[in-house]
Amino acid sequence: MLDHTLVQRYPEVAENLLGALGNLACNKENKALFSRAGVCPPLVRFMSLQLVLDNPGVATALLSAVTYLAVDDENKLNFGRAGIATPISFMMEHRVCLENPVVAQALLLALWTLSYSPDNQVIFGQSGVIGPIVRLLDHPAIKGSPKALEYLAGSMQNLCCTEANKQIFGQAGVSDPLVSLLEHPLALAHPAIAELLCGTLHCLASSPENRVSLLQSGLAPVLAVLQRQAVSMVPAVHEEL
């Protein structure tokens, strides 16, 4: 039905249909049924429609459906093989994401969920997803949203699991924005964000080339600040104990 003209021309119809699909996909058994029915490729094709880019409600419903379906490992791979990396890369740099925090969160949560698949980690690295991720690190829409930053950091940590992607992140210039984010108020105030950013740093620093660029980006004093912050959060031990 996603390929029907009625759905592709009328935002209200598309949003309600996609919302229903997302709700149905909350059920574990339904995820498997949708996988066998081949729902992933039509959803990927739908992501490229102007209707999605022009309507934040449609985009959010679509991305939420992708996320619910992608909890299933088979669907993760189905989405990756269907070429979801291309529309995700495009949407990350489109105004529908950059100007709407709800869409941005939905898009990055879908990316984070999909990136748990080792196969998708390879596919996304080879399909140009990493460049837009690095460029998003400096964007106000991300720095102003704890959830968006958490989902983006989680995606980075997953994608850094492959040696090839570590190199791609380094070549894309990840060091400067990552070091800057490590001392950003959101990271210092939200342990979940700090953990994911530090996890990304841990993975990237296993590459000799990235070690050099990270230190050149001023990592050493930032780590000192983070260490003091961590120590200050540890409860004091009473002398009598």
Side-chain angles (χ1 to χ4, degrees):
M1 191 172 179
L2 287 171
D3 292 326
H4 196 282
T5 304
L6 183 67
V7 178
Q8 297 189 0
R9 290 184 59 185
Y10 295 95
E12 295 82 2
V13 176
E15 184 174 347
N16 284 326
L17 177 62
L18 292 165
L21 177 58
N23 286 341
L24 290 166
C26 292
N27 181 287
K28 182 178 179 180
E29 291 75 17
N30 287 350
K31 290 179 175 65
L33 288 172
F34 282 130
S35 176
R36 291 194 292 272
V39 75
C40 296
L43 280 173
V44 172
R45 291 195 296 272
F46 203 87
M47 289 179 72
S48 299
L49 295 181
Q50 195 63 40
L51 173 78
V52 176
L53 300 175
D54 290 341
N55 294 275
V58 175
T60 301
L62 172 58
L63 293 163
S64 296
V66 169
T67 297
Y68 283 123
L69 287 165
V71 171
D72 178 83
D73 289 339
E74 187 65 27
N75 283 333
K76 286 185 180 73
L77 190 53
N78 290 337
F79 278 122
R81 288 173 173 169
I84 200 169
T86 299
I88 281 183
S89 296
F90 183 79
M91 290 183 75
M92 277 195 286
E93 302 195 277
H94 192 274
R95 59 181 173 79
V96 72
C97 169
L98 299 178
E99 297 177 5
N100 191 303
V102 176
V103 176
Q105 289 179 28
L107 176 61
L108 295 173
L109 181 56
L111 175 61
W112 190 10
T113 305
L114 291 162
S115 67
Y116 276 99
S117 162
D119 294 280
N120 284 346
Q121 290 163 11
V122 175
I123 292 171
F124 288 178
Q126 295 174 343
S127 302
V129 171
I130 290 174
I133 287 176
V134 172
R135 289 188 285 276
L136 267 184
L137 292 174
D138 265 334
H139 199 279
I142 303 304
K143 289 185 172 181
S145 169
K147 284 298 182 184
L149 182 53
E150 179 182 350
Y151 301 155
L152 184 62
S155 302
M156 290 176 60
Q157 180 175 260
N158 285 348
L159 291 171
C160 281
C161 289
T162 77
E163 292 300 321
N165 286 352
K166 291 172 190 174
Q167 302 302 318
I168 297 172
F169 269 112
Q171 293 163 5
V174 72
S175 295
D176 284 348
L178 177 58
V179 170
S180 176
L181 278 175
L182 284 168
E183 56 181 346
H184 190 274
L186 281 183
L188 296 176
H190 293 81
I193 296 175
E195 178 182 353
L196 292 166
L197 288 174
C198 288
T200 300
L201 175 64
H202 185 185
C203 291
L204 289 171
S206 67
S207 161
E209 294 82 0
N210 289 338
R211 291 174 204 154
V212 174
S213 62
L214 286 165
L215 286 175
Q216 289 175 341
S217 298
L219 178 61
V222 173
L223 288 180
V225 171
L226 288 174
Q227 185 179 26
R228 288 196 296 271
Q229 180 86 358
V231 170
S232 68
M233 295 174 66
V234 177
V237 178
H238 294 292
E239 289 184 3
E240 60 270 20
L241 297 179

